[in-house]
């Protein structure tokens, strides 16, 4: 008896995406940035807040590989130290928005009825407020720092996670295994928490990586406006803000380097997130 092996297109797509040089480069860059953020206090070549006014705007050299900013601080050291702050903020946004938005979406999709309508309409109201504008409002009221903009952006990102979770739960409710568990006498809460939530988690987590990149841009934008972290705190967005005067003086390196790192980090997280989303979609085909 002969057998014909059928190649699954979804699996082939996953494997080809996994071998993509772009994905491998992006994953490697994400790993590098995270490693730098964790080890920043030990690998920074200089104290990021040490000021040498006599060495301000110095060109790259053996002692200062990326030069010195307008305040006489080593650019590379501030870039390394700023990785921790620049990644911690988006991480907080993603964690808060995913936990809150995921809970709202799961409850709305699973319970349905008037509760679904109420939660959906309530979360959609927050879409009327742009995330960056809401963060500026919170910062102007509660002062500079990471807490206010992180909370504001978490509120702004919550509806997107809630809508995704709700749509996934609605689809899961129609699957045969849910009816089978209900016939066996399992409670709705037990089915939802033990089976539905684990099934939708990979898709939500894939979206989290994309949201991380968006949050990084928003928080960097706030710092560029001077509304984010305090002035002495190393941060990529703050480095761009501090580098404005250097650009006007003809020394753009202290502003261009953090801009490039922000762009590369956002692109890398987006590529990794899209690959994970493709992988999950391929498994569900």
């Amino acid at each position: 008896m002969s057998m014909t092996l059928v190649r699954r297109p979804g699996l082939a797509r996953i494997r080809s995406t996994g071998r993509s040089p772009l994905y491998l480069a992006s994953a490697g860059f994400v790993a590098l940035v995270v490693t730098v953020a964790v080890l920043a206090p030990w690998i920074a070549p200089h104290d990021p807040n040490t000021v040498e006014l006599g060495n301000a705007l110095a060109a790259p050299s053996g002692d200062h590989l990326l030069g010195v900013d307008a305040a006489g601080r080593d650019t590379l050291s501030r870039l390394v130290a700023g990785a921790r702050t620049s990644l911690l903020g988006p991480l907080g946004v993603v964690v808060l928005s995913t936990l809150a938005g995921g809970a709202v979406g799961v409850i709305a999709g699973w319970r349905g009825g008037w509760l679904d309508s109420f939660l959906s309409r309530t979360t959609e109201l927050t879409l009327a407020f742009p995330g960056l504008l809401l963060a500026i409002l919170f910062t102007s009221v509660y002062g500079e720092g990471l807490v206010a903009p992180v909370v504001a952006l978490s509120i702004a990102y919550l509806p997107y996670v809630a809508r995704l979770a709700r749509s996934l739960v609605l689809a899961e409710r129609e699957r045969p295994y849910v009816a089978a568990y209900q016939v066996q006498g399992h409670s709705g809460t037990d089915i939802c928490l033990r089976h539905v939530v684990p099934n939708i988690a990979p898709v939500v987590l894939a979206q989290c990586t994309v949201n991380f990149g968006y949050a990084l841009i928003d928080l960097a934008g706030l710092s560029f406006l001077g509304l984010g972290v305090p002035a002495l705190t190393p941060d990529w967005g703050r480095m761009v803000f501090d580098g404005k005067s250097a650009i006007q003086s003809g020394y753009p390196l202290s502003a261009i380097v953090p801009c490039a790192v922000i762009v590369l980090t956002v692109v890398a997280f987006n590529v990794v997130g899209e690959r994970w989303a493709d992988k999950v979609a391929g498994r569900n085909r």
Side-chain angles (χ1 to χ4, degrees), residues 89 92-98 100-101 134 148-159:
V93 173
V94 168
V95 170
L96 291 178
S97 63
T98 301
L134 191 64
V150 164
V151 172
L153 290 177
S154 299
I155 295 174
Y157 285 27
L158 185 151

Side-chain angles (χ1 to χ4, degrees), residues 63-164:
D63 195 32
H64 302 283
L65 297 180
L66 294 178
V68 180
D69 65 9
R73 298 169 299 192
D74 181 61
T75 300
L76 178 59
S77 298
R78 291 189 66 79
L79 191 70
V80 170
R84 175 171 292 188
T85 306
S86 300
L87 298 186
L88 184 62
L91 178 62
V93 173
V94 168
V95 170
L96 291 178
S97 63
T98 301
L99 291 177
V104 171
V106 168
I107 293 173
W110 185 256
R111 293 299 181 185
W114 68 268
L115 184 59
D116 179 18
S117 300
F118 173 76
L119 292 176
S120 298
R121 300 295 86 78
T122 302
T123 54
E124 287 173 358
L125 285 176
T126 61
L127 295 175
F129 300 94
L132 193 58
L133 183 61
L134 191 64
I136 292 175
L137 176 62
F138 270 54
T139 304
S140 62
V141 173
Y142 297 104
E144 62 183 6
L146 272 181
V147 176
V150 164
V151 172
L153 290 177
S154 299
I155 295 174
Y157 285 27
L158 185 151
Y160 302 101
V161 180
R163 294 170 72 177
L164 174 63

